[in-house]
């Protein structure tokens, strides 16, 4: 027993050292600076003329994309070669998705953050074989939010996301339509899908999942371009940020340390805007922020950074009249009542690299880990064991098919930006986070760490609501 533990520790340390060396080598080589303009994903066209029903067509396909120099990279995308279109839906609307898998491998399309019945969720139980179609439908019944979609097949999720399969799903509602926030897509309302990627000499992606604690990339990319730039006029700009990385946390800020507003978290608008000069965002999480460029002059450049690393550059242009505003009250969030909770679950996230477990075991699709009664409210206490080794990270914990509220973090009030709806919450090494969640839809749902390599290595469970 002791002997096994020792071997475990030694090999863990070896893996870490190798990983650390590779990571640093990569940073040293990272001299390529892109001068590409920020790509803006297209809005997907609704093929149904009825305003209450929409039909969206998505094709998962392979392609080639240019990221570095004049090299072509083999990639995957939805309706294109890398990433996907933005799907915009409205609360109350009936949505019919038509997904075609043109990859040479099976895939699935999971609607991350959407509240819906299990069979429409697109998780590992809804595999779409190569060449097949999947046509789920659902009615949107949740507040306006920035959600996303990505593959979720056992064994290939992390790789398919890395190759480019991810897109945003934006929900609008009466509230967002009545507020005067920046909401002109592509003009003052811009998605920022932030990822990190590494490349081989020939331009192909270098996906390494076994050296470190998840796949880290040498380059930061936004919407599929390495450290791009965006020209902005002197007005308030809203950015819908998705941490679309497989494993890396970002700590977003501006190079001049100026403040910005956060208006939304994963599941929708916060109650009030928050003013801050940094935003921590772990894999799978979203945040909407507003940067007011009216305080800059024409010709200035400001960088969006993660700690000290460049993410993208804003080039400030002319002044314009800006009719938008950031209201003092953004939304009202009804608190889930702790006294109504019917059960408490504990979730223990343990390990790193491939040696990860959830409540001491690894995922098994043939095992239902928890049963929940339809309509029940539960409190979950999620903890991440203190890391034995340096370099190991916390875990972004995610539940499918629902939005939850954070009750406390290490016994204290949650961070100010964690008081809105969430579907993914970061549990740092040694931390305990208490959440409250209501199960409003039936079916089998996944919950897991959103470091995709951890999820892939088994840090995932299944619950059945019936
Ligand atoms: Cu982004 Cu299982 O989810
Ligand atoms: Cu999800
Ligand atoms: Cu994890």
């Amino acid at each position: 027993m002791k002997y096994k533990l020792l071997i475990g520790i030694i090999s863990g340390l070896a893996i870490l050292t190798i990983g650390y060396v590779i990571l640093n080598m990569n940073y040293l080589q990272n001299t390529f600076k892109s001068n590409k303009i920020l790509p803006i994903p297209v809005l997907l066209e609704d093929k149904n003329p009825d305003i209450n029903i929409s039909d969206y067509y998505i094709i998962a396909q392979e392609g080639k994309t240019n990221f570095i120099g004049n090299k072509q990279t083999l990639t995957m995308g939805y309706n294109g070669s890398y990433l996907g279109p933005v799907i915009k839906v409205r609360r109350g609307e009936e949505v019919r998705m038509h997904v075609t898998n043109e990859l040479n491998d099976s895939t699935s399309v999971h609607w991350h953050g959407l509240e819906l019945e299990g069979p429409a969720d697109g998780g590992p139980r809804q595999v779409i074989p190569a060449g097949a179609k999947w046509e789920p439908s659902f009615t949107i019944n949740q507040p306006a939010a920035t959600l996303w979609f990505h593959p979720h097949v056992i064994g290939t999720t992390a790789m398919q996301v890395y190759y480019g399969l991810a897109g945003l799903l934006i929900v609008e509602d009466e509230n967002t339509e009545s507020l005067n926030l920046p909401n002109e897509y592509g003009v003052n309302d811009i998605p920022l899908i932030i990822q990190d990627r590494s490349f081989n000499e020939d331009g192909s992606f270098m996906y390494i999942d076994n050296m470190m604690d998840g796949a880290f990339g040498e380059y930061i990319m936004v919407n599929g371009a390495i450290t791009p730039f965006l020209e902005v006029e002197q007005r308030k700009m809203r950015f819908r940020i998705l941490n679309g990385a497989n494993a890396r946390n970002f700590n977003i800020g501006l190079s001049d340390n100026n403040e910005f507003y956060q208006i939304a978290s994963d599941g929708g608008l916060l109650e009030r805007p928050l003013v801050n000069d940094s935003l921590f965002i772990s894999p799978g999480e979203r945040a909407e922020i507003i940067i007011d460029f009216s305080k800059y002059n024409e010709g200035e450049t400001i960088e969006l950074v993660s700690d000290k690393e460049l993410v993208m550059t804003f080039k400030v242009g002319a002044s314009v009249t800006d009719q938008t505003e950031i209201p003092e009250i953004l939304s009202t969030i009804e608190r889930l009542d702790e006294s109504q909770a019917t059960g408490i679950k504990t979730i223990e996230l343990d390990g790193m690299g491939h040696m990860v477990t959830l409540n001491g075991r690894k995922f098994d699709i043939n095992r239902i880990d928890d049963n929940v009664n339809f309509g029940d409210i539960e409190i979950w206490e999620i903890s991440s064991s203190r890391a034995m080794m340096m370099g190991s990270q916390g875990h972004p914990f995610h539940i499918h098919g629902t939005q939850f509220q954070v009750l406390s973090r290490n016994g204290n009030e949650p961070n100010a930006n964690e008081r809105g709806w969430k579907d993914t919450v970061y549990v740092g090494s040694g931390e305990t986070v208490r959440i409250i969640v209501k199960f409003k839809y039936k079916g089998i749902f996944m919950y897991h760490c959103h470091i995709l390599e951890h999820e892939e290595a088994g840090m995932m469970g299944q619950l059945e609501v019936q």
Side-chain angles (χ1 to χ4, degrees), residues 37 75 152 158-159 320 327 354 415 450:
I37 188 163
T75 52
H152 220 305
M159 199 272 283
V320 283
H354 285 196
N415 299 329
H450 221 287

Side-chain angles (χ1 to χ4, degrees), residues 110 112-113 398 400:
H110 165 56
H112 179 131
H398 168 52
H400 282 212

Side-chain angles (χ1 to χ4, degrees), residues 133-151:
K133 273 200 165 80
W134 182 57
E135 304 192 295
S137 60
F138 38 82
T139 301
I140 305 296
N141 187 21
Q142 66 191 95
T146 302
L147 313 178
W148 64 302
F149 54 99
H150 63 79

Side-chain angles (χ1 to χ4, degrees), residues 354-412:
H354 285 196
M355 301 184 292
V356 287
T357 55
L358 192 156
N359 286 344
R361 50 193 191 185
K362 285 186 182 285
F363 180 72
D364 179 353
I365 199 161
N366 297 311
R367 183 187 70 222
I368 300 293
D369 300 278
D370 306 276
N371 286 285
V372 180
N373 291 320
F374 174 68
D376 271 7
I377 294 177
E378 291 191 337
I379 292 171
W380 286 25
E381 275 178 12
I382 311 142
S383 55
S384 161
S385 56
R386 188 167 299 286
M388 284 201 310
M389 293 166 251
M390 61 106 204
S392 98
Q393 351 170 43
H395 306 279
F397 184 77
H398 168 52
I399 309 179
H400 282 212
T402 186
Q403 292 285 334
F404 54 75
Q405 291 172 354
V406 182
L407 293 171
S408 67
R409 179 176 284 282
N410 305 321
N412 301 316

Side-chain angles (χ1 to χ4, degrees), residues 12-213:
L13 279 173
I15 288 169
L16 268 174
T17 319
I18 296 168
Y20 189 75
V21 168
I22 288 182
L23 204 65
N24 280 289
M25 261 170 27
N26 281 339
Y27 287 140
L28 291 178
Q29 290 168 357
N30 182 352
T31 48
F32 178 83
K33 288 275 175 285
S34 143
N35 54 359
K36 278 196 185 144
I37 188 163
L38 177 77
I40 307 284
V42 297
L43 276 180
L44 188 61
E45 196 190 328
D46 166 14
K47 298 287 187 193
N48 194 316
D50 186 329
I51 62 156
N52 297 309
I53 309 172
S54 47
D55 282 280
Y56 288 108
Y57 290 81
I58 303 167
I59 300 171
Q61 59 192 70
E62 283 165 9
K64 283 184 184 155
T65 310
N66 165 251
F67 299 105
I68 265 190
N70 51 13
K71 289 172 184 163
Q72 294 291 321
T73 306
L74 279 175
T75 52
M76 293 178 184
Y78 296 114
N79 301 0
S81 71
Y82 190 79
L83 295 177
V86 169
I87 304 176
K88 212 176 193 180
V89 298
R90 193 171 186 282
R91 186 171 193 165
E93 185 176 29
E94 184 193 330
V95 178
R96 304 171 185 161
M97 296 290 190
H98 307 269
V99 182
T100 306
N101 178 8
E102 287 185 1
L103 304 172
N104 293 312
D105 199 358
S106 27
T107 192
S108 81
V109 179
H110 165 56
W111 319 107
H112 179 131
L114 210 55
E115 301 185 336
L116 76 187
E117 308 263 319
D121 174 72
R125 307 182 75 92
Q126 287 88 39
V127 174
I128 318 169
K133 273 200 165 80
W134 182 57
E135 304 192 295
S137 60
F138 38 82
T139 301
I140 305 296
N141 187 21
Q142 66 191 95
T146 302
L147 313 178
W148 64 302
F149 54 99
H150 63 79
H152 220 305
V153 172
I154 311 280
T156 52
T157 300
M159 199 272 283
Q160 289 187 357
V161 172
Y162 197 92
Y163 271 70
L165 290 175
L168 285 191
L169 177 68
I170 295 176
V171 178
E172 299 281 23
D173 66 6
E174 268 173 18
N175 183 35
T176 44
E177 285 161 1
S178 72
L179 295 175
N180 200 13
L181 290 164
N183 69 348
E184 248 187 282
Y185 182 80
V187 178
N188 58 10
D189 181 350
I190 310 274
L192 301 180
I193 301 173
I194 309 180
Q195 303 173 307
D196 56 340
R197 296 290 182 268
S198 287
F199 299 88
N200 296 309
E201 262 307 298
D202 64 358
S204 60
F205 275 138
M206 181 167 74
Y207 178 71
I208 303 179
D209 78 328
N210 53 0
M211 290 298 197
M212 292 165 274
D213 199 15

